[in-house]
Amino acid sequence: MRNKGVVALGLALVGTLALGGCAAGSSDDGDDVTIEWWHIQTQEPTRGVWQELADEFEAAHPGVTIDITVQNDPEFKTGIDARAQAGDLPDIYQTWGGGVLGAQVDAGLVQDLSESTSGWIDNLAAGAVAGLQIDGKQYGVPYDSGLVGVWYNKALFAQAGIDAVPTTWEEFMSAVKALRAAGVTPLALGAGDKWPAMFYWAEGGLAEGGSQPFIDAGETGDFTADAFIKAGERIDELVAANAFQDGFLGTAYAEAGGASSLIANGQAAMELMGSWSPGTQASVAENGEGLGDDLGWFPYPLGTSTDEKVGFGGINGFAVGKDAPPETIEFLEFILSTESQKKLGAAGQLLPVANGAEDSIENPYQRQIRDALVELDYLQVFLDQAYAPAVGTAINDNVQAIFAGTLTPQAAAEAITQVAQAQ
């Protein structure tokens, strides 16, 4: 089995791009062209940024139409699986790289972009670019790279007498207990969606063993290393401490009344989530904005067992379907240019990867995350994307079973291994 989601970070960047540098916009035979684009930015302002860029490209390229489909994460994954089964992926579509992209490549459904993007892809963060390569070939281009960490409510921390953010697992558990004693729900979790629960297992594994257990598991399919068992034991400890809100096993993440709304509306003190969290919180906050100055962030994992600087996060990118027209590459070049990426950074939800766009990041939390990101020795991408699709599903299902108390950490690791070694 292959683990293509392991990325050593390096943000060496060169060059700039602009709309004016694109070629004329029509197909070789002069017919009108439609580019089908599937993305997952359902929330404003990023959704509007994508639409603005599509409109701008269409205006500069008569005869080219960008046909956009916007879906939330679960709907997109269901839809793209169906399109892959039909052998007809969209011209441009969301990808996180890893095993899912590898399976699409193996099926011959994705364009090799190594040559068609060679004139401009060096303008993007080298580590993120490498994360979307399969066997040394470029099968996706990144537009965002982020890091999972703990978002917290400063006012609720003060109410519980917590005057400093935790830096060790012991301090984190002390904070959980202090919050519960103060009548505050310590952690919001949308385990009904499964992937938010997986974050705890991944972060725990990195804290207990660094990168090597994840690399080894990608090669052997064996997920029974001590780091994974101890990660499950950390989950057991949190559940035993009543760390999560009532009904967390059935709670969704981003829906009204979901986990994100609990932190956004001051009903829980913390959530372990990606860099997109402030935007999601704002979309479900009763005041339409979220916590404002009361929102803070600190990195996870806590109390790493090695000197290695490790992190857990992801790369958002786009892949190109095998039958996409040539104008698709021109459009990709445009939306990943420095000027376009500045608009993405200024929107405050995603972290641009183009050289020269970093100054557009106005959100102080996003800057804090980017600063942490560039210091890492190793970034482990989301486990349900890093490994083969069946393995990712097994991880999500069995980690949720740990939260539910229906599997021990050892039994869950063995169940994941059974699926992984059958691939």
Side-chain angles (χ1 to χ4, degrees):
M1 82 183 281
R2 300 176 299 185
N3 177 9
K4 300 182 177 67
V6 176
V7 182
L9 289 183
L11 299 182
L13 306 166
V14 294
T16 58
L17 297 170
L19 178 61
C22 296
S26 62
S27 64
D28 293 341
D29 57 10
D31 294 336
D32 289 347
V33 171
T34 297
I35 298 173
E36 186 183 21
W37 182 18
W38 280 28
H39 73 71
I40 61 169
Q41 305 306 322
T42 59
Q43 298 159 5
E44 298 294 353
T46 302
R47 179 174 182 161
V49 171
W50 285 141
Q51 184 64 56
E52 176 186 338
L53 293 175
D55 293 344
E56 192 174 346
F57 187 85
E58 287 178 340
H61 296 74
V64 176
T65 299
I66 310 297
D67 181 12
I68 299 176
T69 297
V70 187
Q71 298 170 306
N72 62 32
D73 187 293
E75 291 172 346
F76 168 80
K77 289 175 178 174
T78 300
I80 208 70
D81 284 347
R83 291 288 295 264
Q85 290 294 325
D88 177 32
L89 289 172
D91 298 322
I92 304 178
Y93 64 96
Q94 168 73 27
T95 184
W96 297 271
V100 174
L101 180 60
Q104 295 165 351
V105 169
D106 289 344
L109 301 176
V110 189
Q111 284 191 20
D112 177 0
L113 304 175
S114 303
E115 182 175 347
S116 59
T117 64
S118 61
W120 50 269
I121 200 167
D122 284 348
N123 188 52
L124 309 179
V129 168
L132 296 180
Q133 293 174 349
I134 305 289
D135 297 334
K137 296 181 179 179
Q138 199 71 44
Y139 283 100
V141 289
Y143 63 86
D144 160 75
S145 183
L147 195 62
V148 170
V150 179
W151 298 91
Y152 74 102
N153 185 320
K154 297 176 183 176
L156 292 181
F157 265 43
Q159 179 181 324
I162 304 168
D163 55 10
V165 297
T167 58
T168 67
W169 176 249
E170 290 74 20
E171 290 176 359
F172 186 70
M173 288 304 303
S174 293
V176 166
K177 293 172 183 175
L179 287 161
R180 184 55 80 185
V184 175
T185 298
L187 285 157
L189 174 60
D193 286 337
K194 297 185 180 178
W195 57 266
M198 173 268 289
F199 284 7
Y200 284 87
W201 194 71
E203 293 276 23
L206 286 170
E208 294 289 351
S211 63
Q212 201 57 51
F214 293 86
I215 295 171
D216 292 345
E219 297 297 329
T220 67
D222 187 352
F223 285 84
T224 61
D226 287 346
F228 295 122
I229 307 304
K230 290 178 180 177
E233 291 172 350
R234 286 190 176 203
I235 292 171
D236 281 347
E237 192 173 353
L238 285 170
V239 173
N242 195 21
F244 305 102
Q245 82 277 8
D246 292 342
F248 68 90
L249 287 171
T251 302
Y253 164 59
E255 296 177 356
S260 186
S261 73
L262 297 179
I263 186 85
N265 295 308
Q267 297 169 317
M270 298 183 282
E271 69 167 352
L272 181 64
M273 190 47 61
S275 50
W276 60 81
S277 182
T280 304
Q281 290 178 32
S283 73
V284 294
E286 294 174 355
N287 64 5
E289 298 178 356
L291 296 178
D293 292 340
D294 277 338
L295 184 65
W297 182 89
F298 60 89
Y300 210 88
L302 299 160
T304 52
S305 61
T306 71
D307 293 332
E308 188 181 29
K309 294 179 180 178
V310 295
F312 176 63
I315 300 166
N316 281 305
F318 292 121
V320 175
K322 64 180 176 61
D323 296 323
E327 288 81 0
T328 303
I329 306 303
E330 295 180 41
F331 181 58
L332 269 184
E333 180 182 13
F334 169 58
I335 63 176
L336 292 168
S337 68
T338 297
E339 292 306 311
S340 296
Q341 282 263 284
K342 284 181 178 179
K343 294 177 181 178
L344 197 70
Q349 292 174 311
L350 301 175
L351 295 177
V353 296
N355 182 36
E358 59 272 14
D359 291 342
S360 66
I361 303 172
E362 299 174 355
N363 185 309
Y365 314 120
Q366 302 283 26
R367 280 188 171 273
Q368 187 181 355
I369 291 170
R370 191 179 190 282
D371 290 345
L373 192 65
V374 298
E375 293 297 322
L376 295 179
D377 299 317
Y378 176 91
L379 174 66
Q380 174 60 56
V381 301
F382 304 126
L383 302 186
D384 53 359
Q385 297 295 324
Y387 303 114
V391 179
T393 298
I395 291 173
N396 285 351
D397 289 346
N398 288 288
V399 169
Q400 192 190 42
I402 299 174
F403 276 94
T406 56
L407 284 180
T408 65
Q410 180 71 42
E414 291 174 355
I416 295 166
T417 296
Q418 184 175 11
V419 173
Q421 294 187 336
Q423 299 301 300

